[in-house]
Amino acid sequence: MSVYLHDIPLVQAQARFREALQEAGLWRVLGVEEIPLDENALGRVTAQPTWAKVSSPHYHASAMDGFAVRAEDTSGAQPASPIQLSVISGQSSVQAQYVDTGDPLPEWANAVIPIENTEPLDENGKITSAVRGPSSIRVRAAVAPWSHVRPLGEDIVATQLVLPAGHILKPADLGAIAAAGHQTVRVARKPKVAILPTGTELVPIGSKLKAGDILEYNSLVIAAQVRQMGGEPTRFPITKDDFDLICQRVQEAAQTHDLVLLNAGSSAGAEDFSAKVVEKLGALLVHGVAVRPGHPVILGTIDRGPQTIVHRPSSIVPIIGVPGYPVSAALTVDIFVEPLLAKWLGRRPLELPVETAILTRKLVSPAGDDDFVRVVVGKVGDKLLAAPLSRGAGVITSLVQADGLALIPSGVQGMEAGEKIQVRLYRNRNEIEKTILAIGSHDLTLDLIAQFLAEHDRRLASANVGSQGGLVALRRGEAHLAGSHLLDTQIGEYNISYIRQYMPNIPVKVVALVGRDQGLIVRRGNPKGIKTLGDLTRSEVQFVNRQRGAGTRVLLDYHLNLMTIPPDSIAGYHQEEYTHLGVAAAVASGRADCGLGVATAAQALDLDFIPLFQERYDLVIPKQFAQDELLSPLFDLLADSRFREAVSHLKGYDVSVMGNVILED
Amino acid sequence: MSVYLHDIPLVQAQARFREALQEAGLWRVLGVEEIPLDENALGRVTAQPTWAKVSSPHYHASAMDGFAVRAEDTSGAQPASPIQLSVISGQSSVQAQYVDTGDPLPEWANAVIPIENTEPLDENGKITSAVRGPSSIRVRAAVAPWSHVRPLGEDIVATQLVLPAGHILKPADLGAIAAAGHQTVRVARKPKVAILPTGTELVPIGSKLKAGDILEYNSLVIAAQVRQMGGEPTRFPITKDDFDLICQRVQEAAQTHDLVLLNAGSSAGAEDFSAKVVEKLGALLVHGVAVRPGHPVILGTIDRGPQTIVHRPSSIVPIIGVPGYPVSAALTVDIFVEPLLAKWLGRRPLELPVETAILTRKLVSPAGDDDFVRVVVGKVGDKLLAAPLSRGAGVITSLVQADGLALIPSGVQGMEAGEKIQVRLYRNRNEIEKTILAIGSHDLTLDLIAQFLAEHDRRLASANVGSQGGLVALRRGEAHLAGSHLLDTQIGEYNISYIRQYMPNIPVKVVALVGRDQGLIVRRGNPKGIKTLGDLTRSEVQFVNRQRGAGTRVLLDYHLNLMTIPPDSIAGYHQEEYTHLGVAAAVASGRADCGLGVATAAQALDLDFIPLFQERYDLVIPKQFAQDELLSPLFDLLADSRFREAVSHLKGYDVSVMGNVILED
């Protein structure tokens, strides 16, 4: 049971892959096709420079509705001493001729006077209506040569470069190519990419799930990535972990595709066949790359088999073994597939804009790895902050929520909170400046706030670090607000004493968001008939607790004390879970009969809930931000009846306190 | 012949349109459709929040291949004093169980030890191969509870918000929606947009052109814009300027579309029917907006006619009269159609990132207009510069070349060179920092340089201000290089004396680019048998000249002087054109028999060319930039045989001087 062959540095892995493809003649545009110049050309990459076949305009054109004249005939014209120019006289002495916008300028003319600057006259020299052509016009200002004329080639001169090769076509480009006399455009052929999900544990989207089943959605994400990059993806059906079956599918894919992506099975476990498949069908170039997330990446080439795509430049097909964890998979595609497709399309590789931000918490990173960290980015005061999201390679929502990607390069073992870090941004600065950063205790109503704020041009990005962590973040100036439900057991009051302790000398506004039920999470139907904290001392009742320091643990201890129930009389008091959902999961699995938590955790796992206490969940907002225009939609929201109604539909929530100002310094 | 009803301010026009649509119930998401969760969902806009139906993972899952254990059983394990855990003993006393990545954790376990951190032992306590399951394992380090476990809900908790409504779907989002238990996603229906080109002078792309014909490509650009914005465009065939025909087409379009765009005919000329059409079929809300380019915009609503799209919320259909000039058309679509489609799709309107740049030349702007100026943006030294492109509303290439759009708001009458201006950027900063700004005399070889540099991750943006203008731009630090071909007639030498005069005290490097033929542009077949400057004095030869100050005029006067030909002996010497192409056009139209210019101008209009002199065209580069990494691909290019060959294929160019260093301070 060896691990990977070995993890080689990222740049080395990329170089080895590139060299193999260069050698095979595959490090260049794959092929060229001529397509009609219509809106389907949008986003395609030009395969050749576009040179103009015609000029635009292809003649000297009037730029206005008006009269074509010789500029020299108007010289001396002034408001008080107008000049009269004849319109209908014989060709030899004509001095003015009516032209519509776009009409060719008569050969003898070199300027146009807009119609509104002329006085049309009849044959008697009287001002006339313009319905029939006047016999002459009066002008009261001289015009310069070429006024209101679009000279031949003003836009495009025949033979000039209109667009270079390697250009991604935008709407205006299509117009320019048409204006330059073309009906078609030669673009790079879209690379065909086969995506092969493998794994006996995989089940298709929509399956009824049992423990151990894993939903196969990586192929969906990868297909969308490939399409976004300009490739043409094919999703293959799931293949079981069977060496021969996988070999067969890979060969089938290689015959009709330019690139094969073999998802999962790229590690070194007993059922991980990808490396062996590549070795059997071709050459294994790299197995294991020092990049995180993503380690078990495979890079290789396989023999194509019979030719089926016309004009394919080589008899080999590159293959990439993509790791199974969804974040690893997506990043592997960004790191290895994007540059390859860019090369095959002849365009620049995608480059995200980079900004420097301040890291909100310490990050540990293996010194040997290029470590990519998904971050939420927000501007708090004048600081641009990067708050790391979950680093779990299985947490696809960290990619959904990410505003950017921070790289801790190999050689760096980690970074401290407050250090500057380079972030590749997924969103532009405008969006980031409309982001409200909430750090603290999580509550489901924050999701509803996020949904409502999105309708008012604000984005709520929240990070869950617990109530106390939120107050510390506010003190450090790293968030606009914190959700908090800290009970002071001495005085039975929420939050205020903690705010004074953790955020001394910072003026704040505290607004109640909701009253929220805490209660006992029990199995469906409450088979043990548990009703109060008193029932926890019954011998047949197995309890599961939260960890010391958790708000819910503080609440339990407070009430046990009020009711004079000794903790040690409760079976399982010392068995600790770290989240509401951990408690619910312990109950769902039968490991415990009950635990204290919020109603929504019970609901999430389809358990029953016995409400016991109501606690207040407040929003703590430094005064500086409470008055900021950024947050004003949030305050509007607290008074919005639609929002109140939406929250009151959630189980275990009371909106009667919503918007009450608890404290305002 | 009145002009527009009147030009109203942009914000007022937008408000009037919005209010009419609000009243009609059309200022909201048009409709919702449920689509399968596949890669075609990419880029669609969510119409509802996505709440999780299931948790992910939906069970406590092993995060590694390894052994599930109880963390407490490992406590005290150390390298020198390992602990042994039984694997195959009966269920009651099992202490370790093999799990693959993704397997459910056994109920009794709360941690996983990765396989590479264990020593598998056989029934005799000897280290064994892992092919068959060991009977026990030895571990040499304690593990914390929940190590290498992905707890239930680590990624997604059932009931949580996965994505808000109004979100544009990215690849990872599709995975998250799938992980949350969905097989479909509800998205906003794509608004159907009809695009009706009108105009008797219009001819379809690919037509053989005669004077007065205008290629109809606006509908192509608009269709591509609409598609990029998330709408579904339909391009109608060209309709002649015929009131009844246009009415008929508009009604037909309104029956099957959500929005009608009527292109051109929106001004107030005799053939401009758009406003009358809107008045006849519905309500004309706005005719004329104080925005430049774009003035003759029409906003209105028309009655739908018989219902053909299901669930359309209103009986009226908005219609926009889009001006005919291509730049006006594209900007009108950006200004009026984009926010409407954003509203109909329920997404945020597009917002380009804004940067502050320094304006390179004075801009005059009507005080009453919101004036949009296309600019090239580049970074020269540490200054971000915005160089205005052609402001002609007919110059579609100005949109192709633009890096951004600068707004001179109404109320401001113009801006001086050197002032700071806000630019909405089309490209990101990385790209802009790879832009080489060339300002000066234009030459066709610059197009070839642009094409070759694009292959080396550089972009050449060039602005044509003439040789002297280029040197002045270099002095002001507004360009990286200037193309120049200024002959000092005193000493018969190119450029150097001018550089000393216009750029005193600035160290430069001057490199020869090409030798270029100047000669006489004559009609095809040279009917008057013109061969030398001496022929210009023949009485039947009509000449056309360049303006005073032009390099080519300097060259002519220099040679006339050498040959002692008096200028006044040449018919047409005082007839001036402003560009090489203007000279060529005068010859092509028969207005003159010949003029002095470059070979490519003759070639562009299919004329003959009599080469007379060769002049040198140099690149002038301040030393500061000559040593910069940004420009190094340019110097490589001058030594690149492929590039030399490409230039030598152009008519009238000599590459023997290419790369010669003329001056290096």
Side-chain angles (χ1 to χ4, degrees), chain A residues 110-161:
Chain A
N110 68 356
V112 170
I113 308 180
I115 193 151
E116 58 268 29
N117 299 348
T118 65
E119 294 163 23
L121 306 174
D122 64 16
E123 54 271 30
N124 304 316
K126 290 209 171 133
I127 288 189
T128 176
S129 106
V131 178
R132 280 157 193 282
S135 88
S136 63
I137 54 168
R138 195 150 60 199
V139 298
R140 294 181 185 272
V143 293
W146 304 104
S147 306
H148 304 297
V149 172
R150 298 185 59 214
L152 187 156
E154 182 199 40
D155 189 0
I156 294 171
V157 177
T159 75
Q160 84 167 58
L161 178 72

Side-chain angles (χ1 to χ4, degrees), chain A residues 493-496 499-500 507-514 616-623 626-627 634-636 638-639 644 655-665:
Chain A
E493 183 196 71
Y494 281 94
N495 295 325
I496 296 179
I499 291 168
R500 295 310 183 205
V508 294
K509 183 169 184 172
V510 180
V511 185
L513 181 61
V514 285
R616 212 180 62 229
Y617 182 95
D618 292 340
L619 299 180
V620 182
I621 310 164
K623 199 173 175 185
Q627 294 164 345
L634 175 66
F635 290 104
D636 297 344
L638 299 180
R644 268 168 194 262
V655 297
S656 63
V657 294
M658 186 178 287
N660 290 355
V661 176
I662 304 301
L663 176 67
E664 188 158 20
D665 288 327

Side-chain angles (χ1 to χ4, degrees), chain A residues 196 198-201 239-248 250 262-282 284 287 296 298 302 319-322, chain B residues 65 100:
Chain A
L196 278 66
T198 69
T200 306
E201 71 288 3
T239 306
K240 281 190 302 181
D241 288 321
D242 176 311
F243 179 75
D244 293 328
L245 263 183
I246 297 173
C247 283
Q248 200 180 314
V250 167
L262 191 54
N263 188 219
S266 61
S267 191
E271 307 274 87
D272 289 331
F273 294 120
S274 294
K276 293 185 200 97
V277 167
V278 175
E279 269 177 334
K280 180 179 171 188
L281 301 178
L284 181 67
H287 189 191
I298 289 167
I302 52 180
I319 183 166
I320 300 179
V322 177
Chain B
D65 296 347
D100 275 322

Side-chain angles (χ1 to χ4, degrees), chain A residues 286-371:
Chain A
V286 171
H287 189 191
V289 180
V291 56
R292 185 180 165 206
H295 278 261
V297 172
I298 289 167
L299 304 174
T301 59
I302 52 180
D303 295 318
R304 184 184 52 205
Q307 171 77 325
T308 48
I309 304 186
V310 220
H311 296 316
R312 264 209 316 196
S314 169
S315 68
I316 72 153
V317 176
I319 183 166
I320 300 179
V322 177
Y325 277 126
V327 178
S328 305
L331 286 180
T332 297
V333 170
D334 281 341
I335 292 172
F336 293 100
V337 178
E338 210 291 325
L340 180 56
L341 293 194
K343 183 49 77 175
W344 281 354
L345 288 163
R347 62 165 171 78
R348 294 163 55 103
L350 179 75
E351 260 187 299
L352 296 173
V354 174
E355 296 259 11
T356 303
I358 296 165
L359 192 63
T360 59
R361 63 177 175 77
K362 183 187 170 112
L363 286 176
V364 178
S365 172
D369 285 2
D370 278 313
D371 193 354

Side-chain angles (χ1 to χ4, degrees), chain B residues 23-52:
Chain B
E23 211 166 289
L26 280 173
W27 195 248
R28 60 178 184 82
V29 174
L30 275 188
V32 176
E33 61 187 4
E34 188 163 351
I35 60 169
L37 193 61
D38 61 30
E39 62 268 31
N40 295 311
L42 191 69
R44 299 297 295 268
V45 184
T46 55
Q48 291 179 343
T50 301
W51 303 96

Side-chain angles (χ1 to χ4, degrees), chain A residues 2-165:
Chain A
S2 70
V3 262
Y4 327 123
L5 294 185
H6 56 287
D7 279 356
I8 65 169
L10 177 55
V11 285
Q12 207 173 310
Q14 286 170 321
R16 206 179 280 181
F17 196 43
R18 188 177 59 240
E19 282 155 21
L21 296 181
Q22 274 167 341
E23 209 166 290
L26 280 174
W27 195 249
R28 60 176 184 83
V29 174
L30 274 188
V32 176
E33 61 187 4
E34 188 162 352
I35 60 169
L37 195 60
D38 62 29
E39 62 268 30
N40 295 311
L42 191 68
R44 298 298 296 268
V45 184
T46 55
Q48 291 179 344
T50 302
W51 303 95
K53 278 162 63 177
V54 299
S55 297
S56 173
H58 55 286
Y59 54 92
H60 296 321
S62 175
M64 300 284 278
D65 295 348
F67 286 89
V69 299
R70 275 179 291 266
E72 47 275 30
D73 291 348
T74 67
S75 96
Q78 293 206 348
S81 58
I83 283 178
Q84 196 166 322
L85 301 173
S86 67
V87 176
I88 55 164
S89 39
Q91 178 69 17
S92 58
S93 68
V94 69
Q95 292 179 298
Q97 180 180 316
Y98 180 78
V99 282
D100 275 323
T101 305
D103 279 351
L105 206 63
E107 252 175 42
W108 52 265
N110 68 356
V112 170
I113 308 180
I115 193 151
E116 58 268 29
N117 299 348
T118 65
E119 294 163 23
L121 306 174
D122 64 16
E123 54 271 30
N124 304 316
K126 290 209 171 133
I127 288 189
T128 176
S129 106
V131 178
R132 280 157 193 282
S135 88
S136 63
I137 54 168
R138 195 150 60 199
V139 298
R140 294 181 185 272
V143 293
W146 304 104
S147 306
H148 304 297
V149 172
R150 298 185 59 214
L152 187 156
E154 182 199 40
D155 189 0
I156 294 171
V157 177
T159 75
Q160 84 167 58
L161 178 72
V162 180
L163 283 173

Side-chain angles (χ1 to χ4, degrees), chain A residues 355-361 376-387 417-421 423 429 432-437 439 472-480 506 622 624-625 628 630:
Chain A
E355 296 259 11
T356 303
I358 296 165
L359 192 63
T360 59
R361 63 177 175 77
V376 163
V377 180
K379 201 175 176 193
V380 178
D382 51 9
K383 284 193 290 190
L384 194 69
L385 296 167
E419 273 195 80
K420 285 183 177 169
I421 192 164
V423 180
R429 278 296 289 257
I432 282 168
E433 293 185 2
K434 285 179 176 164
T435 298
I436 299 173
L437 271 189
I439 296 191
V472 171
L474 290 185
R475 184 182 66 213
R476 290 207 202 120
E478 294 175 350
H480 296 106
I506 298 180
Q624 170 192 8
F625 306 126
D628 195 304
L630 178 73

